[in-house]
Amino acid sequence: MKKSILMVCGMLAMAATTAFGQKGVDDGSRYGHGEDSVRAVLASVRYSDAMKLKNYAEAYPDWLTLFNEAPLFYGTKSNLYSQGVTMLKALLKAEKDAAKKAEYYGMLLRAYDQRMKYYGNNKNYPATYLKGMRALDMLAFKDDLEAKKEAFELLAASLKGAPATVQAAFPAKHIEVAVDLYKAKAFDAERVVKAYLASSDAMKELEKIQTDKNAQQIADTKAQVEQRFASSGAADCETIIKIFGAQLDENKSNLDWLKLINKLLDKADCTESDLYYATSEYMHAIEPAAGSARGLARMYMKKNDTEKSVAYYNQAIELADNDEDKAKYYIELSTVYFSVSQFSAAKAAAYSAAKLRDNWGDPYLMLGRIYAAGSKLVGSEDWEKRAGYWAACDKFAKAKAVDSSERVQKEASDLIRQYSQYFPNKEDLFMHGVQVGQSYTVGGFIGESTSVRAH
């Protein structure tokens, strides 16, 4: 307080010897000159005292004097504006009168604009950061279409700043506003997709510089960005292919681009599009992995290209780094062979899966299905063709024996009931000299020893 009093006294003395007055806003000085400088200093003292007590209504008139007449009052520090934003937001929240609220809102935006004018080159809080904060505060107090349009542009600019100056809220709000504008028919789908890409890129940069302290916040924000885009309704196949299809040739060696477009297509359920196949194959060629090989195998399975599906499943098995994944891929490979009635190959793949993973019923369920489907290929007599159902039910029973999970127990029991009704009847067996309970080897590709049963 003593310092403030001495400053005021000095300014008063200067005013007494200086006939003219000049504001800081006019001559670029911190305080101005003459009477104007005295008014600025007196206003700063009252303003500071009121702010310390959080008496914002009392602080506002003197802050306004400094804002209009001495915008550089605090020199290299932007306290006038950071404090002013805090004050104006508090006044806005408390005010009931519409006209007064409009005044405070207008001054809030002007506070950001003037800070950008005088302090926009600050390394830690540059104009890009201030644009993002201005957008967030705009949207906190106004929710109309025009405010959202302006905020969107500000947020787009904020994402172009250095990563250290980008708040996680900027990309999250950027895509949120884009989706709102799309739903209001102010944006088309392409604009939303591009907004998502910008937000996604910003999140990647934030991940690179995250710390233990903010890692969870960044992870949560990234999930928000993904969820908002996924539920936007803008990411349809037609839009994504229209935007990115023409860019494929120039980006077929750009792994980040391929991953992003592949992910967009996956989210939009465009996994049977040519662009999805192409990006997947280019990705796999650059960075071969069991997961991507499996993805390609499944894609070509949907496309009824058995040869390519089998080739990629074999790659997935070779690249897998644990037996559990290998077993899963073998079962899926068995399914591919089964779908085209290549029963011997399907059987071999299912047995390979069984060898890699104990206490897993799926390989035996698969074997049972293979035997049941191929039973008609075995033998010449009708009862011989039905013998495959004995071997099939043996495998279903084996599934129940090794895997106690509720799913396998139910599925195996249902399959045994379904296929046991196709066993030969006793009369046919008797006519061919075959007795119930005796040992019997089913021929053909099945090649299993079983016991005779009748329906």
Side-chain angles (χ1 to χ4, degrees):
M1 179 61 75
K2 288 181 179 179
K3 184 177 180 181
S4 297
I5 291 171
L6 288 172
M7 183 182 291
V8 172
C9 289
M11 294 303 294
L12 287 171
M14 184 178 71
T17 58
T18 306
F20 66 91
Q22 193 166 19
K23 299 172 185 175
V25 71
D26 296 325
D27 63 12
S29 65
R30 288 176 61 184
Y31 314 110
H33 294 88
E35 293 177 359
D36 291 330
S37 66
V38 174
R39 182 168 56 252
V41 173
L42 287 172
S44 75
V45 173
R46 292 191 299 268
Y47 161 70
S48 296
D49 289 344
M51 285 296 287
K52 287 174 185 175
L53 299 172
K54 295 185 178 180
N55 190 341
Y56 299 129
E58 186 177 320
Y60 178 64
D62 289 309
W63 176 86
L64 207 54
T65 297
L66 295 174
F67 180 87
N68 289 323
E69 299 183 11
L72 291 168
F73 188 87
Y74 291 104
T76 58
K77 296 181 179 179
S78 57
N79 298 27
L80 181 67
Y81 304 99
S82 57
Q83 292 175 0
V85 165
T86 299
M87 173 191 69
L88 287 161
K89 286 163 68 174
L91 289 171
L92 265 167
K93 289 176 183 177
E95 187 57 57
K96 303 298 182 186
D97 180 73
K100 202 66 179 172
K101 282 181 80 74
E103 177 190 338
Y104 291 146
Y105 179 77
M107 286 309 303
L108 176 65
L109 302 190
R110 285 187 63 195
Y112 276 112
D113 293 341
Q114 191 150 296
R115 181 175 176 180
M116 281 187 261
K117 176 181 177 180
Y118 291 109
Y119 298 95
N121 291 326
N122 183 281
K123 181 180 178 181
N124 296 321
Y125 305 103
T128 51
Y129 166 84
L130 297 174
K131 286 179 179 179
M133 295 305 296
R134 185 186 193 271
L136 296 181
D137 283 344
M138 281 179 68
L139 296 169
F141 295 102
K142 262 204 174 172
D143 198 31
D144 60 47
L145 204 59
E146 292 308 311
K148 286 183 177 179
K149 286 180 180 178
E150 184 179 353
F152 177 82
E153 297 302 334
L154 290 169
L155 289 164
S158 77
L159 301 184
K160 296 176 182 177
T165 68
V166 176
Q167 299 295 298
F170 296 171
K173 205 67 176 177
H174 185 239
I175 185 62
E176 179 185 325
V177 174
V179 172
D180 286 348
L181 290 169
Y182 171 71
K183 290 180 177 178
K185 302 189 184 306
F187 276 6
D188 60 17
E190 185 171 340
R191 195 94 182 262
V192 179
V193 173
K194 289 180 177 177
Y196 166 73
L197 294 178
S199 292
S200 183
D201 286 346
M203 291 310 306
K204 286 177 187 174
E205 294 303 312
L206 289 179
E207 284 180 310
K208 291 177 184 178
I209 61 170
Q210 71 182 20
T211 63
D212 291 341
K213 188 175 180 180
N214 67 1
Q216 188 59 52
Q217 179 199 13
I218 289 175
D220 291 344
T221 304
K222 182 179 180 181
Q224 289 174 22
V225 169
E226 299 289 343
Q227 190 278 328
R228 281 168 181 156
F229 177 65
S231 61
S232 69
D236 58 35
C237 294
E238 184 180 351
T239 301
I240 297 169
I241 293 169
K242 174 186 172 185
I243 298 171
F244 301 108
Q247 302 175 24
L248 178 63
D249 282 345
E250 63 188 84
N251 285 288
K252 58 188 179 184
S253 299
N254 183 342
L255 185 59
D256 288 338
W257 186 90
L258 292 167
K259 285 181 176 179
L260 179 61
I261 306 312
N262 196 264
K263 184 178 180 181
L264 285 176
L265 291 164
D266 187 47
K267 283 181 176 294
D269 197 23
C270 307
T271 53
E272 294 186 27
S273 67
D274 289 339
L275 185 59
Y276 188 70
Y277 293 138
T279 54
S280 298
E281 288 193 296
Y282 285 133
M283 282 166 53
H284 186 69
I286 296 168
E287 191 176 76
S292 58
R294 181 204 184 200
L296 286 165
R298 291 171 68 135
M299 285 192 307
Y300 280 109
M301 174 64 174
K302 289 181 182 178
K303 209 172 182 181
N304 297 318
D305 190 333
T306 304
E307 186 177 348
K308 281 192 175 181
S309 182
V310 167
Y312 278 116
Y313 267 124
N314 283 324
Q315 278 194 43
I317 292 163
E318 184 180 345
L319 292 167
D321 57 9
N322 63 80
D323 286 347
E324 185 170 335
D325 282 345
K326 284 185 179 183
K328 178 171 64 178
Y329 301 155
Y330 267 123
I331 283 294
E332 292 179 7
L333 174 60
S334 178
T335 303
V336 174
Y337 284 127
F338 180 74
S339 70
V340 290
S341 300
Q342 293 186 29
F343 297 128
S344 293
K347 173 186 174 181
Y351 264 116
S352 294
K355 291 175 184 176
L356 289 167
R357 185 173 166 185
D358 296 330
N359 305 318
W360 191 34
D362 285 25
Y364 300 103
L365 293 175
M366 190 69 220
L367 284 165
R369 289 191 178 93
I370 294 166
Y371 293 170
S375 182
K376 61 182 178 295
L377 302 177
V378 177
S380 56
E381 300 288 339
D382 180 68
W383 74 270
E384 290 177 305
K385 292 182 181 297
R386 292 173 179 266
Y389 296 120
W390 298 332
C393 287
D394 289 347
K395 295 308 176 188
F396 298 143
K398 175 74 170 179
K400 291 185 69 174
V402 302
D403 191 334
S404 61
S405 69
E406 183 178 347
R407 176 186 64 83
V408 169
Q409 292 291 313
K410 182 179 185 309
E411 192 170 336
S413 295
D414 289 345
L415 289 167
I416 289 171
R417 279 194 297 272
Q418 177 183 343
Y419 287 108
S420 59
Q421 65 183 316
Y422 301 125
F423 289 170
N425 59 49
K426 289 181 179 179
E427 290 76 11
D428 282 346
L429 293 173
F430 178 77
M431 290 291 294
H432 290 88
V434 180
Q435 295 182 350
V436 172
Q438 78 178 58
S439 179
Y440 181 84
T441 299
V442 183
F445 80 92
I446 294 176
E448 295 274 1
S449 179
T450 184
S451 61
V452 176
R453 279 152 283 177
H455 174 56

